[in-house]
Amino acid sequence: MEILVTIPDTLTEQVRPDAPDARDALQRVVLEEAAAALYRVGKLTKTQVMLLLDLTEREDFYTFLHAHHIPMTTLDTLQGDRAASDQLGL
């Protein structure tokens, strides 16, 4: 699917639209922000984000999460791990 996004020139001036790679760089930023937002709300999985952003290594995905201030785990997961540890006497 292709989506057209119109960005005012006043906002694109910061990325020097005359630079040869400015358009590609801006497209990547918008794509990453969309992927981050959709991942945060559970609309995309890790695998889907990796495919969308062409990330081939797990570490690249973790770098993406860090860059977008997305925790690698949730409070629910941590509480579940703690409960399991308590049950095992750890």
Side-chain angles (χ1 to χ4, degrees):
M1 174 188 329
E2 188 171 315
I3 299 173
L4 176 65
V5 177
T6 303
I7 300 173
D9 290 338
T10 55
L11 295 177
T12 59
E13 289 171 359
Q14 296 173 352
V15 293
R16 298 181 331 171
D18 57 329
D21 60 346
R23 181 185 176 107
D24 291 339
L26 188 56
Q27 282 181 317
R28 181 64 184 196
V29 167
V30 171
L31 182 61
E32 284 188 15
E33 290 299 328
L38 292 169
Y39 181 79
R40 271 190 198 100
V41 297
K43 298 289 184 183
L44 290 180
T45 65
K46 171 186 168 185
T47 302
Q48 290 170 322
V49 170
M50 290 182 72
L51 288 170
L52 180 65
L53 299 178
D54 197 28
L55 304 175
T56 57
E57 301 294 327
R58 188 176 63 225
E59 291 78 16
D60 295 335
F61 177 73
Y62 297 141
T63 300
F64 165 79
L65 292 181
H66 180 73
H68 293 277
H69 308 286
I70 300 171
M72 286 193 262
T73 189
T74 65
L75 181 58
D76 290 339
T77 302
L78 292 174
Q79 289 173 335
D81 290 348
R82 183 176 183 151
S85 293
D86 288 346
Q87 286 178 342
L88 295 172
L90 302 175

